[in-house]
Amino acid sequence: MAQVAAPQQEASGGRSSSREETVAGWVAISPWVIGFIIFTAGPIIASLYLSFTEYDFIRPIRWTGLDNYRQIFTQDIYFTKSLVNSIIYMALYVPLHVGLALGVALLLHRARRARGIFRTLFYLPAMTPGVATAILWIWILNPQVGIVNQALRILHLPAPAWTVDPFWMKPAVVITSLWAFGGAMIIFLAGLQGIPATLYEAAEIDGANAWQRFWNVTVPQLSPVIFFIATIAVISSLQVFTQGYVMFDQYGGNENSALFYIMYLFQQAFQYFHLGYASALAWILFLVIAVLTALQFVAARKWVYYETTR
């Protein structure tokens, strides 16, 4: 009987130890859990409720059902304008951001001298505050005295009115945002260092040139990293705010060409104090981002390569 009881006692002791570890784990993360419930989950639930109400900080909350959503989709021309502006910005920014970060990462990966210095220099703009960056680019892209247009005139090329012409205002914001590609570059560098050198050696033995090695080895091996960077870029680009607000104004400049979605949401919430209406706008943006992210995951099945080990 003693021999049979011993394993039972050991099992009981194991379950007790496991329970103690679980409790200790929850205690350790309890500050984060409490903070998440109070500062994140709570406001999310509150905003969902407010999206069906009329609320302006002063008068009591009044339930209006779907009136906010009905007005947004049928009467609000600035909703359509700001959403289209944000989508155009996303379409311009995401491929350029991914391509620029990957291109610089490839160059730095091959660098033999001063690699650390160049990595630091390229990463520094990502640490610059967004407001300071936007102010800097207002001067750089000034149509009359900006260094970009001065260089274009020297080369006898057209000098766009970056901050005045509605056609060029969104590209100006894209250029400003591309300045801070250092974070994505660092991630690409880490991915490049994880690609086995034997794959390149095998491709070179098979007669593959530089482009073929890049397309058939580097891109498939980096596809999970590219997918991650692109997904994050899509989400962040639909939430662009600082560049448009600082470079132009809260209305997006001429013809509202740089009126992005978050800027319009900010107007409704903190300029006009339409808290219920702004909450409805926020939830529509959440659904748009969720749909685009889901489509990216579906498309990823056809081109993202995950190496499996058996």
Side-chain angles (χ1 to χ4, degrees), residues 199-255:
L199 295 178
Y200 292 106
E201 294 170 359
E204 193 169 359
I205 291 173
D206 290 339
N209 56 34
W211 169 254
Q212 290 171 331
R213 292 195 298 272
F214 169 76
W215 187 252
N216 296 296
V217 178
T218 304
V219 171
Q221 291 290 315
L222 271 185
S223 57
V225 180
I226 297 172
F227 171 64
F228 171 77
I229 297 295
T231 302
I232 298 301
V234 167
I235 295 172
S236 63
S237 63
L238 288 175
Q239 301 178 66
V240 60
F241 173 81
T242 303
Q243 295 89 337
Y245 191 88
V246 175
M247 292 182 67
F248 303 101
D249 54 42
Q250 59 186 337
Y251 301 105
N254 293 339
E255 300 180 12

Side-chain angles (χ1 to χ4, degrees), residues 94-222:
V94 173
L96 291 174
H97 174 72
V98 174
L100 180 62
L102 176 57
V104 174
L106 287 169
L107 292 175
L108 293 182
H109 183 63
R110 290 179 170 273
R112 292 292 179 264
R113 296 181 180 179
R115 180 184 298 182
I117 296 176
F118 283 114
R119 289 180 181 181
T120 303
L121 291 176
F122 280 114
Y123 184 73
L124 278 178
M127 302 176 63
T128 307
V131 174
T133 300
I135 293 174
L136 172 66
W137 279 96
I138 290 175
W139 174 71
I140 294 175
L141 295 176
N142 185 284
Q144 283 75 39
V145 299
I147 58 175
V148 171
N149 278 7
Q150 290 185 17
L152 291 174
R153 292 188 186 102
I154 292 174
L155 297 173
H156 303 287
L157 295 174
W162 300 98
T163 57
V164 179
D165 188 344
F167 179 80
W168 288 102
M169 289 167 68
K170 281 187 283 292
V173 179
V174 170
I175 292 172
T176 305
S177 301
L178 289 175
W179 175 255
F181 67 90
M185 177 201 70
I186 294 297
I187 297 174
F188 275 127
L189 275 171
L192 287 169
Q193 291 173 357
I195 300 177
T198 53
L199 295 178
Y200 292 106
E201 294 170 359
E204 193 169 359
I205 291 173
D206 290 339
N209 56 34
W211 169 254
Q212 290 171 331
R213 292 195 298 272
F214 169 76
W215 187 252
N216 296 296
V217 178
T218 304
V219 171
Q221 291 290 315
L222 271 185

